[in-house]
Amino acid sequence: GWVVTITGAMSLAILYAKFASFDDSAGGSYAYVKKGMGDYMGYQTNLVYWLAGWTGNIAMAIIGVGYLAYFLPFIDTPFLSAIAAIGVIWLFTFINILGPKLVTTVQSYTTSLVFLPIFGTAVFGWFWFSGDTYMSAWNVSGGSTISAIQSILNVTLWAFLGVETAAVVAGTVKNPKKNVPIATLGGVGIAAVAYILSSTAIMGIIPNAKLVASAAPFSEAWEMMLGPWAGYIVAICAAAGCLGSLGGWTLVVGQTAKAAADDGLFPSFFAKTNAIGVPAPGLIAIAIAMTAICLLTISPTAADQFAAISSIAVIMTLLPYIYTASSLKILGDKEFGTKRLFWNAVIVIAAIY
């Protein structure tokens, strides 16, 4: 499943990096599709991507709260978990209103913290890895290998949603034609290695029956490895990383709506900005919508709520991806030069995926 997803994700990353190398327009998929396929397809792309973005933000808030509940167990109930997620959503909305510089500073620190559980598990988890534990969970779906792989592609693609975000916020990036491709390809490459090694190690540490019910698998793995104190530290780091990502994605959905509103394709209030150029009214409207969905999807467990919301976000994101692949063929053909065969192959692989 990881191999299939990483092949597709890297194809998408190469596609967005190529676009950014010759077009520094802000808006990512929306800007590219609008130029290549017209206003209607651009509007459709932006609407679906925007919906997927803030829906996915709710899932990230739920993950973060799940790790907070590891050492604050009183919030580990469906209603209190939802209230805590809503509080987090509004906190990062406020941080975004204060400006993108603060958001990126916060995210830089929180991303550094999340390196501990992810890379720590990827490197040291193997000392506690059990081949028997891992193989007993190899295919517990009850179906064939092919059907099992198909059933988890939603989840593995969720891990790579965001390959396009550097292109979306190109308008707030210095030297985007250089830095966006570096961030896009480098980010996907680093994430791919970290995801495979860390998730595989965890599946060899935690028995499957316990793992499928866990809201904080990294914390539980480290508790089994080194004791409760390690689980608490990892829970703090993992929660910070998830919530920091929420801050960055809030910036993305705000910029996505603003880009469409600037072109008259979204309501005009999404284009209104405060004194420092932040689309504050649009961010508040998005936070209200996220609050409503968070309440409407309250589930018996955090894992159930996450599964429902994240699958919606993944499915909606597929449309902008395939439209962007088509637009690169339309707009980038003259940029391919002698590597036309390579770029056409990348477009085909991304579209099929």
Side-chain angles (χ1 to χ4, degrees):
W2 278 124
V3 170
V4 173
T5 300
I6 288 169
T7 301
M10 189 56 74
S11 298
L12 289 166
I14 294 170
L15 184 152
Y16 279 98
K18 181 62 176 177
F19 249 132
S21 71
F22 67 83
D23 188 337
D24 59 0
S25 302
S29 294
Y30 163 65
Y32 303 148
V33 175
K34 182 173 178 288
K35 286 184 180 181
M37 305 174 75
D39 283 352
Y40 174 70
M41 302 297 269
Y43 165 74
Q44 189 182 95
T45 295
N46 201 69
L47 177 62
V48 175
Y49 182 77
W50 176 72
L51 290 169
W54 62 258
T55 303
N57 281 359
I58 303 168
M60 274 190 288
I62 291 166
I63 299 170
V65 169
Y67 276 100
L68 289 176
Y70 185 83
F71 55 91
L72 297 173
F74 68 89
I75 65 171
D76 193 19
T77 66
F79 180 73
L80 289 180
S81 178
I83 295 301
I86 290 168
V88 165
I89 287 166
W90 281 97
L91 171 64
F92 281 97
T93 298
F94 177 70
I95 292 173
N96 268 272
I97 289 173
L98 296 179
K101 186 174 182 179
L102 177 60
V103 175
T104 52
T105 300
V106 170
Q107 189 167 3
S108 294
Y109 285 112
T110 56
T111 301
S112 298
L113 284 174
V114 84
F115 283 163
L116 174 63
I118 294 177
F119 286 102
T121 305
V123 175
F124 299 109
W126 298 96
F127 292 104
W128 286 266
F129 180 88
S130 165
D132 291 338
T133 299
Y134 181 79
M135 291 310 299
S136 68
W138 180 251
N139 182 358
V140 293
S141 68
S144 67
T145 299
I146 297 297
S147 66
I149 292 173
Q150 289 175 332
S151 71
I152 59 96
L153 292 183
N154 241 22
V155 180
T156 48
L157 179 56
W158 161 263
F160 285 97
L161 290 189
V163 299
E164 72 293 333
T165 48
V168 173
V169 297
T172 64
V173 176
K174 293 180 180 178
N175 192 7
K177 289 187 177 180
K178 175 185 176 183
N179 290 324
V180 170
I182 291 173
T184 301
L185 294 174
V188 172
I190 293 170
V193 173
Y195 288 157
I196 290 180
L197 292 178
S198 60
S199 65
T200 303
I202 283 178
M203 287 187 280
I205 297 172
I206 304 176
N208 181 258
K210 184 178 181 181
L211 184 58
V212 296
S214 175
F218 280 92
S219 297
E220 293 194 14
W222 279 83
E223 181 179 351
M224 293 176 67
M225 290 159 60
L226 297 176
W229 65 270
Y232 288 126
I233 292 174
V234 167
I236 293 170
C237 294
C242 293
L243 300 180
S245 294
L246 174 61
W249 268 99
T250 301
L251 171 64
V252 169
V253 295
Q255 291 294 325
T256 300
K258 182 181 183 301
D262 286 339
D263 291 338
L265 299 178
F266 264 30
S268 59
F269 73 86
F270 282 108
K272 294 179 179 178
T273 59
N274 60 17
I276 56 174
V278 175
L283 287 171
I284 292 171
I286 292 166
I288 292 171
M290 290 168 65
T291 299
I293 298 299
C294 197
L295 291 172
L296 289 170
T297 57
I298 291 176
S299 304
T301 68
D304 291 338
Q305 189 173 14
F306 167 76
I309 293 174
S310 63
S311 64
I312 294 169
V314 168
I315 291 167
M316 287 195 291
T317 306
L318 297 179
L319 188 68
Y321 283 164
I322 197 167
Y323 282 0
T324 303
S326 302
S327 296
L328 182 60
K329 176 61 179 172
I330 295 167
L331 297 174
D333 206 44
K334 62 181 183 296
E335 305 286 340
F336 295 162
T338 58
K339 296 182 179 179
R340 189 177 303 275
L341 181 61
F342 168 78
W343 288 111
N344 284 328
V346 170
I347 290 170
V348 169
I349 291 170
I352 290 173
Y353 172 70

